[in-house]
Amino acid sequence: MSRARLAHIAAWSLALPEDEAARAAAGIVERTYPRGACICPKNTVLESWTGVVTGLIKVGTVSREGRSVTFTGVPAGGWFGEGTVLKNEARRYDIVALRSTRMAFMDRPTFMWLAENSVAFNGFLVRQLNERLGHFMALLEYDRLLDATPRLARCIASLFNPVLYPGAGDYLEINQEELGLLSGMTRQVANQSLKALQKDGVVRLEYGGITVIDLDRLRNYGN
């Protein structure tokens, strides 16, 4: 993998010195998965740190009774799973491609070398883990306290987190079915909520996606 390719798929690599970036690039492979593919089943030890190059994935689980729970979605540019790689344990969730998705996998020896030797990479990990903690606390709060439209607004806003998903811009390629899956509501309810958000001037519905008009209002919608 070239330095330019690494920079394209991993914004965190821009801060690495050349020797560390070369080591990171040498430890990464890319694979493409079709829509609906289970990239990593729950309780599987995936000895790689994972990033989304293109597409969209869902992180969630299914109970023994068949109840599906979505923890979060990860769009292109997002890297996740650093905690399980650091602890060398099984992932406690399923990773499912919501559409055709290209993934990047950094092998654990490369990840651990960077974690143990790179100041820049360690700085990134601290920011990443801190931001992810706040992200999941917010998801838990709005899932329990908010009605459908504010909940969907916060779900959309979470996909534009500049730390976890850098370079997202103001447009996200996503459809109503995918938003329903990520926010835990039916497609019909997601559609009604999207129309309410558009009427309120915080998003604009596009063909095949959403443009965010007012991200601050979206993040605090319902307050």
Side-chain angles (χ1 to χ4, degrees):
M1 181 179 293
S2 67
R3 182 74 170 90
R5 178 60 179 170
L6 179 65
H8 179 70
I9 69 170
W12 50 263
S13 70
L14 298 175
L16 300 184
E18 280 299 322
D19 60 329
E20 294 177 2
R23 187 149 190 159
I28 296 175
V29 297
E30 297 182 48
R31 300 188 183 99
T32 301
Y33 297 85
R35 177 186 177 187
C38 187
I39 298 166
C40 177
K42 181 181 178 181
N43 297 324
T44 299
V45 177
L46 181 61
E47 295 184 347
S48 300
W49 186 40
T50 40
V52 181
V53 179
T54 60
L56 179 68
I57 63 99
K58 179 182 77 167
V59 177
T61 188
V62 179
S63 71
R64 292 180 179 178
E65 294 76 27
R67 182 185 177 190
S68 177
V69 177
T70 297
F71 299 140
T72 189
V74 183
W79 286 73
F80 63 102
E82 52 276 349
T84 53
V85 178
L86 284 167
K87 293 181 286 186
N88 197 26
E89 67 178 21
R91 302 233 176 174
R92 300 178 182 177
Y93 46 78
D94 299 311
I95 304 172
V96 178
L98 291 183
R99 68 167 70 107
S100 179
T101 298
R102 189 159 181 83
M103 298 287 295
F105 299 87
M106 174 186 283
D107 62 66
R108 187 171 187 271
T110 300
F111 178 90
M112 293 306 299
W113 186 92
L114 289 169
E116 293 166 0
N117 294 279
S118 173
V119 173
F121 191 71
N122 266 276
F124 160 77
L125 283 181
V126 170
R127 292 190 299 273
Q128 177 94 340
L129 291 167
N130 183 58
E131 193 70 22
R132 197 179 303 286
L133 176 61
H135 171 71
F136 278 112
M137 291 290 287
L139 289 176
L140 180 63
E141 177 186 14
Y142 74 63
D143 185 60
R144 294 189 177 184
L145 299 180
L146 299 180
D147 294 331
T149 300
R151 192 162 81 243
L152 184 67
R154 305 294 181 91
C155 177
I156 295 170
S158 73
L159 298 173
F160 288 86
N161 185 304
V163 177
L164 297 176
Y165 317 123
D170 60 2
Y171 174 80
L172 179 66
E173 182 184 351
I174 195 167
N175 60 41
Q176 295 166 10
E177 181 182 1
E178 292 165 347
L179 278 172
L181 288 170
L182 294 180
S183 57
M185 59 183 69
T186 66
R187 179 176 180 174
Q188 290 75 19
V189 173
N191 180 40
Q192 293 170 1
S193 297
L194 278 172
K195 289 179 178 178
L197 293 174
Q198 178 171 249
K199 184 177 180 180
D200 207 14
V202 291
V203 302
R204 183 171 62 249
L205 305 185
E206 314 278 7
Y207 180 76
I210 297 171
T211 295
V212 172
I213 298 172
D214 192 332
L215 185 56
D216 287 337
R217 282 186 63 202
L218 201 63
R219 286 173 174 156
N220 296 287
Y221 202 88
N223 283 353

